[in-house]
Amino acid sequence: MSVPVKKMHLNLFVLNTGHHEASWRHPETMPKSVTDIHYYTRLAQMAEQAKLDSLFIADALVLTPAIQHKIGGGLEPLTMLSALAMGTERIGLIGTVSTTYTEPYNAARMFASLDHISGGRAGWNSVTSVGDVTAINFGRERHPEHSDRYEQAKEFLEVVKGLWSGWEADALVADKQSGTFADYSKIHPLRYKGNYFSVHGPLNVARSPQVFPVLVQAGSSDAGKELAAETAELVFTAQDTLEHAKAFYADLKGRMAKYGRHADELKILPGFSPIIGATESEAREKEAMLAELITPDFGLIRLSNSLEIDLHRYPLEGPVPLEDLPSIEQVKGQKARFEMLVDMVKAEQLTIRQLIHRTATARGHYTMVGTPEQVADVMEQWVKDGAADGFNVMPPYFPGGLEDFVGGVVPELQRRGLFRTEYSGRTLREHFGLKHPDAQPVVTTT
Amino acid sequence: MSVPVKKMHLNLFVLNTGHHEASWRHPETMPKSVTDIHYYTRLAQMAEQAKLDSLFIADALVLTPAIQHKIGGGLEPLTMLSALAMGTERIGLIGTVSTTYTEPYNAARMFASLDHISGGRAGWNSVTSVGDVTAINFGRERHPEHSDRYEQAKEFLEVVKGLWSGWEADALVADKQSGTFADYSKIHPLRYKGNYFSVHGPLNVARSPQVFPVLVQAGSSDAGKELAAETAELVFTAQDTLEHAKAFYADLKGRMAKYGRHADELKILPGFSPIIGATESEAREKEAMLAELITPDFGLIRLSNSLEIDLHRYPLEGPVPLEDLPSIEQVKGQKARFEMLVDMVKAEQLTIRQLIHRTATARGHYTMVGTPEQVADVMEQWVKDGAADGFNVMPPYFPGGLEDFVGGVVPELQRRGLFRTEYSGRTLREHFGLKHPDAQPVVTTT
């Protein structure tokens, strides 16, 4: 009798025409579909037919001149996911909302509403947003410092969880006979007073199926990991090697005990961007085709932003100027992304052009090229080795890269008993084996 | 040859179980459906089959103890309308968002997104929200004064219109060959600096079919009318008599010329809540049935709020204490609502209980009881007499009151040539005969 294998969790990261920087130039993709809800509905349905746990929409609150060479201008996540909820039945729907530039009362209402609309399939990726370029769209001159953003994020989480938890399960009675619509003794104001937010409550949306959305985070800095260990139920992370992924996994799960949490209460899904072919050479051809479409224009802007230095001033074929970069303490944006890029340059001695190509495939997330069996081998190894509870799947281009994944890799994982062949639950928490928030205490005042 | 009659416009005001305060106690209604998107989808589809121009969702950013006796706790408008867009094809979708408690960059994105998702059917009812009870959910102790709220609303409108207008029609090129995704010379930052908002832009959602949602307002105070005359394309208003409606119509349309606008560029839709029966006595029975279900509990709270005095301290069968009310200058909330109630009490010499009953049917909006022909007669008269361009239809209970309207009144209006029998346009602006925003100037800086 064989030991039952641990099943993995799969999330589809939906992003425009795909995760390869040049995907919008691929002959198969439809770049003008960025605002077409029917395009996204087809991708969501494809992922649902493959029984994926969830899909995820990233977000940024800014448009920069990089749009000259980079696809963008698409739909806002919460409206988009509410629409996708109507074209799907089981797959989880995870959207990004910023804790720096959103009113928590508004965010709490919208996620509660999405959770009702989807029948308990909502997830929230909380981010603190990036850069002064975002701040100036919200009446501020400067983006808050990293530590301030995390303090604010922590308060934001306390507020929205408190609002969501404020309605007891049987508060809404709707007793026509007595004329009692709700039992107000079971609807609790929050009366939160913090440094960043003061929110009285109660929430004006009735308790939703999951009580609150699955709490997702993707911050991989030290502060990000600490906040995730305390509050997150699902973590997306960019890890470029198995060793880094194992270290991150052990580090993050190891931080949970001090918050009274079990390691199983948080699932870690590294980004994973496979280029898949029926044969290895077919996969290599697909890789080469995408590589040919890369232009340095956008890559230079992207890396200049991440490394916080203007790379246009350096020769493309020369080394990445490590000596001119800011120190990690000086970095204002995503510290973990910065460190990963620097480590990559040091380990592989990359020129600027090489770094562009090395990260064009999925912005530094783990990439590989191979057959469905080879891809499944790697996924199996990562899960068995304690590097992942599953993957944030990032197809290089849509729909082809997703078709290759759901048509080749998913069946292979299912044959190996590593992935579900049918949904057993209805809600996103059930898909991920996470406990219902009923078991959690209600936040009242701070 | 007969002169072609002016067609009217019809909006369905969707509100929980209906507009009669006691509708949730009606045997036919399903009060727990307030969070059920499929319930709302059926209402929307019913309205669309009758070729109504649009449907509208009101909103408030607060939950009060009144929920003990009053139905509430439903869905947030923008997520709800995004979902409804997927279950309908032609009907317009108008949602309420507050200019006092929302970041304009976030609101602009969501409406642009809804306009894409719905194929050009989005409308935005901008409100300034009501009361300190709302303020305390957004980190403030006091709701801003009436005049401050309107100044802020004006800035908010300038910001979002500027953001929406910032993308020229041909900015998104997606030229795979050259690697140019967008022509950034055709995407204009806003660089707005006001007293309330500073927003740099550009918007990160590509130009939507209507460029921006149909701009709807419902403020009927002097400041509200002035803002509407300058900026609104559609106005919902509560008018309790034909004479009041005519005066309002003439007043508002008369204010438009000084802003360089033609009277046709704004459509006025008074609220209209008919109780309909195949015979007049059947209609009267329906009215009596609803009246029996009214409890004074909620009515006292509602009127105490509107009149800004605690009516619980006065005998229910006694007169409304006009002498103890604040002056119109002292009123902090909806001044037009306050005035309408005072006028009603003066004209009809009402007791508190009578005022509760008189306004329980549709909160002071015009109500009537009759057959489809009688209802159509009144609607025809209002439009012919220059009191309305159409109606904001407020069925007393769902779905019965809506079935009576679309099954009886709409066919009667169609027979008279007063309402469309088929949609001729695709977008909400086309349904209302409003011009495309292309013709309007781009706001850049202030």
Side-chain angles (χ1 to χ4, degrees):
Chain A
M1 233 173 81
S2 65
V3 179
V5 288
K6 184 185 167 190
K7 286 205 166 41
M8 67 177 69
H9 298 282
L10 296 176
N11 172 77
L12 173 65
F13 187 166
V14 174
L15 182 72
N16 302 322
T17 50
H19 289 271
H20 193 287
E21 200 159 286
S23 64
W24 74 266
R25 300 185 66 203
H26 190 284
E28 264 189 34
T29 62
M30 297 165 285
K32 289 197 173 177
S33 64
V34 283
T35 56
D36 179 3
I37 192 66
H38 304 292
Y39 164 77
Y40 295 111
T41 301
R42 284 190 293 274
L43 298 183
Q45 289 171 342
M46 210 181 288
E48 185 170 71
Q49 278 156 18
K51 317 301 176 194
L52 264 57
D53 295 72
S54 52
L55 63 84
F56 159 60
I57 316 286
D59 198 35
L61 299 169
V62 61
L63 186 90
T64 70
I67 193 143
Q68 288 178 272
H69 305 292
K70 176 200 177 189
I71 189 166
L75 302 172
E76 182 280 332
L78 280 168
T79 44
M80 180 173 167
L81 292 176
S82 300
L84 292 182
M86 304 307 281
T88 56
E89 293 180 1
R90 302 293 279 271
I91 194 165
L93 303 165
I94 302 171
T96 300
V97 166
S98 170
T99 56
T100 308
Y101 298 111
T102 317
E103 285 285 354
Y105 197 85
N106 292 338
R109 296 181 73 207
M110 291 191 148
F111 275 108
S113 193
L114 175 63
D115 203 47
H116 279 296
I117 289 169
S118 63
R121 297 186 282 138
W124 167 40
N125 176 43
S126 56
V127 298
T128 66
S129 301
V130 177
D132 296 343
V133 288
T134 305
I136 58 177
N137 288 330
F138 295 87
R140 306 195 205 166
E141 293 191 3
R142 294 265 166 267
H143 192 51
E145 290 297 318
H146 197 269
S147 58
D148 287 341
R149 296 205 307 275
Y150 274 86
E151 280 303 309
Q152 185 176 350
K154 213 170 149 170
E155 280 199 8
F156 194 108
L157 274 153
E158 287 172 2
V159 169
V160 294
K161 285 175 76 171
L163 289 169
W164 289 320
S165 306
W167 283 67
E168 292 185 33
D170 55 352
L172 201 160
V173 289
D175 180 4
K176 292 187 179 192
Q177 198 55 43
S178 70
T180 302
F181 182 74
D183 180 350
Y184 198 70
S185 72
K186 294 180 175 174
I187 303 173
H188 307 280
L190 181 65
R191 298 192 186 92
Y192 187 96
K193 284 193 193 300
N195 292 320
Y196 296 89
F197 301 112
S198 294
V199 179
H200 190 279
L203 191 66
N204 62 350
V205 180
R207 184 188 182 90
S208 73
Q210 293 191 113
V211 186
F212 50 82
V214 171
L215 302 176
V216 185
Q217 282 167 43
S220 295
S221 68
D222 201 66
K225 280 186 281 200
E226 209 55 43
L227 185 64
E230 184 176 356
T231 62
E233 298 176 284
L234 190 61
V235 164
F236 296 140
T237 180
Q239 301 296 332
D240 61 340
T241 66
L242 173 60
E243 291 66 39
H244 287 157
K246 282 169 71 173
F248 178 86
Y249 189 96
D251 177 10
L252 178 49
K253 297 240 174 176
R255 294 172 189 238
M256 293 173 67
K258 67 174 173 291
Y259 299 108
R261 300 183 73 200
H262 189 275
D264 279 349
E265 294 173 43
L266 183 159
K267 309 294 180 187
I268 298 176
L269 275 61
F272 185 67
S273 189
I275 300 179
I276 304 158
T279 62
E280 205 179 320
S281 64
E282 188 189 302
R284 290 283 163 208
E285 278 165 34
K286 290 184 182 179
E287 180 190 30
M289 181 174 187
L290 282 161
E292 264 176 43
L293 299 171
I294 298 171
T295 56
D297 304 298
F298 173 61
L300 277 174
I301 298 170
R302 171 173 54 78
L303 290 174
S304 296
N305 284 337
S306 293
L307 295 175
E308 303 193 0
I309 186 173
D310 185 3
L311 289 174
H312 296 86
R313 297 189 288 110
Y314 298 86
L316 206 53
E317 312 303 343
V320 176
L322 290 172
E323 65 287 359
D324 295 349
L325 298 184
S327 70
I328 184 70
E329 291 74 27
Q330 292 169 318
V331 169
K332 290 175 183 166
Q334 292 179 284
K335 287 179 191 283
R337 168 67 46 89
F338 177 91
E339 280 187 308
M340 188 184 63
L341 291 170
V342 169
D343 288 351
M344 196 181 279
V345 170
K346 283 183 184 163
E348 305 176 28
Q349 299 287 320
L350 302 173
T351 66
I352 293 176
R353 187 189 290 277
Q354 284 168 334
L355 184 62
I356 290 172
H357 276 256
R358 181 74 175 72
T359 55
T361 42
R363 306 181 303 287
H365 288 265
Y366 186 83
T367 59
M368 70 170 289
V369 181
T371 65
E373 293 72 25
Q374 289 171 323
V375 171
D377 286 347
V378 169
M379 296 173 82
E380 182 170 1
Q381 189 191 5
W382 279 48
V383 173
K384 283 194 174 155
D385 283 6
D389 295 310
F391 297 90
N392 185 18
V393 181
M394 301 166 66
Y397 59 100
F398 289 118
L402 176 58
E403 285 165 351
D404 292 339
F405 187 82
V406 300
V409 178
V410 169
E412 179 61 27
L413 293 171
Q414 288 169 331
R415 266 191 294 277
R416 299 182 190 188
L418 295 169
F419 191 64
R420 72 170 68 82
T421 54
E422 193 44 80
Y423 290 108
S424 57
R426 278 274 160 198
T427 70
L428 179 53
R429 270 206 181 74
E430 287 166 358
H431 296 341
F432 275 106
L434 295 163
K435 66 180 179 182
H436 194 269
D438 259 346
Q440 298 186 13
V442 173
V443 176
T444 50
T445 53
T446 297
Chain B
M1 233 175 79
S2 65
V3 179
V5 288
K6 185 186 165 190
K7 287 205 163 46
M8 67 177 69
H9 299 281
L10 296 175
N11 173 77
L12 173 66
F13 187 166
V14 174
L15 182 72
N16 301 322
T17 50
H19 289 271
H20 193 288
E21 200 160 285
S23 64
W24 74 266
R25 300 184 66 202
H26 190 284
E28 265 189 33
T29 62
M30 296 165 287
K32 289 197 174 178
S33 65
V34 282
T35 55
D36 179 1
I37 192 66
H38 304 292
Y39 164 78
Y40 295 110
T41 301
R42 284 190 292 274
L43 298 182
Q45 289 170 343
M46 210 182 287
E48 184 170 70
Q49 278 156 20
K51 317 302 176 194
L52 264 57
D53 296 72
S54 51
L55 62 84
F56 159 60
I57 317 287
D59 197 37
L61 298 169
V62 61
L63 186 92
T64 71
I67 192 140
Q68 288 177 272
H69 306 292
K70 175 202 177 189
I71 188 165
L75 302 173
E76 182 281 332
L78 280 168
T79 44
M80 179 175 170
L81 292 176
S82 300
L84 292 182
M86 304 307 282
T88 56
E89 292 180 0
R90 302 293 278 269
I91 194 166
L93 304 165
I94 301 171
T96 300
V97 166
S98 170
T99 56
T100 308
Y101 298 111
T102 317
E103 285 285 353
Y105 198 85
N106 292 337
R109 295 182 73 205
M110 294 191 128
F111 275 109
S113 192
L114 175 62
D115 203 47
H116 279 296
I117 289 169
S118 64
R121 297 185 282 139
W124 167 40
N125 175 43
S126 56
V127 299
T128 67
S129 301
V130 177
D132 296 343
V133 288
T134 304
I136 58 176
N137 289 331
F138 295 86
R140 306 196 205 167
E141 293 191 3
R142 294 266 167 266
H143 191 52
E145 290 298 319
H146 198 269
S147 58
D148 286 340
R149 296 205 306 275
Y150 274 87
E151 281 302 308
Q152 185 176 351
K154 217 171 144 170
E155 279 198 9
F156 194 109
L157 274 154
E158 288 172 2
V159 169
V160 293
K161 285 176 76 171
L163 288 170
W164 290 319
S165 306
W167 283 66
E168 292 185 33
D170 54 352
L172 202 161
V173 289
D175 180 2
K176 292 187 179 192
Q177 198 54 42
S178 70
T180 302
F181 182 73
D183 180 350
Y184 198 69
S185 72
K186 293 180 175 173
I187 303 173
H188 306 281
L190 181 64
R191 298 194 186 90
Y192 188 95
K193 286 193 192 299
N195 292 320
Y196 297 89
F197 301 113
S198 294
V199 179
H200 190 280
L203 190 65
N204 62 351
V205 180
R207 183 186 182 91
S208 74
Q210 292 191 114
V211 185
F212 50 82
V214 170
L215 302 176
V216 185
Q217 282 166 44
S220 295
S221 68
D222 201 66
K225 281 186 281 200
E226 210 54 44
L227 185 64
E230 185 177 354
T231 63
E233 298 175 283
L234 192 61
V235 164
F236 297 141
T237 180
Q239 300 297 331
D240 61 340
T241 66
L242 173 60
E243 291 66 38
H244 287 157
K246 281 169 70 174
F248 178 85
Y249 188 95
D251 176 9
L252 178 49
K253 298 241 174 176
R255 295 172 189 238
M256 293 174 68
K258 66 174 174 287
Y259 298 110
R261 300 184 72 200
H262 190 275
D264 280 350
E265 295 174 43
L266 184 160
K267 309 294 180 189
I268 298 176
L269 275 61
F272 185 69
S273 188
I275 300 179
I276 305 158
T279 62
E280 205 177 319
S281 64
E282 189 190 301
R284 290 282 163 210
E285 279 166 32
K286 289 184 182 179
E287 180 191 29
M289 181 173 187
L290 282 161
E292 265 177 41
L293 300 171
I294 297 171
T295 55
D297 305 299
F298 173 61
L300 276 174
I301 297 170
R302 172 173 52 79
L303 290 173
S304 295
N305 284 338
S306 293
L307 295 174
E308 303 194 358
I309 187 173
D310 185 4
L311 289 174
H312 295 87
R313 297 189 289 111
Y314 298 85
L316 207 53
E317 312 302 342
V320 176
L322 289 173
E323 64 287 0
D324 296 350
L325 299 185
S327 71
I328 183 69
E329 291 74 28
Q330 292 170 318
V331 169
K332 289 177 186 165
Q334 293 180 281
K335 287 179 191 284
R337 169 68 44 93
F338 177 91
E339 280 187 308
M340 188 184 65
L341 292 170
V342 169
D343 287 351
M344 197 181 275
V345 171
K346 283 181 182 165
E348 305 176 31
Q349 299 287 321
L350 301 172
T351 65
I352 292 177
R353 187 190 290 277
Q354 286 168 333
L355 184 63
I356 289 171
H357 276 256
R358 181 73 174 76
T359 55
T361 42
R363 305 181 305 287
H365 288 264
Y366 186 83
T367 59
M368 69 169 290
V369 181
T371 64
E373 293 72 24
Q374 289 171 325
V375 171
D377 286 347
V378 170
M379 296 173 83
E380 182 169 0
Q381 189 191 4
W382 279 48
V383 172
K384 283 194 175 154
D385 283 6
D389 296 310
F391 297 90
N392 185 20
V393 181
M394 301 166 63
Y397 59 100
F398 289 119
L402 176 59
E403 285 165 351
D404 292 340
F405 187 82
V406 300
V409 178
V410 169
E412 179 61 27
L413 293 172
Q414 289 168 331
R415 266 191 292 279
R416 299 182 190 188
L418 294 168
F419 191 64
R420 72 170 70 82
T421 53
E422 194 42 82
Y423 290 109
S424 58
R426 277 275 160 197
T427 69
L428 179 54
R429 271 208 180 74
E430 287 165 358
H431 297 342
F432 275 106
L434 295 163
K435 65 179 180 184
H436 194 267
D438 260 347
Q440 297 187 14
V442 173
V443 176
T444 50
T445 52
T446 297

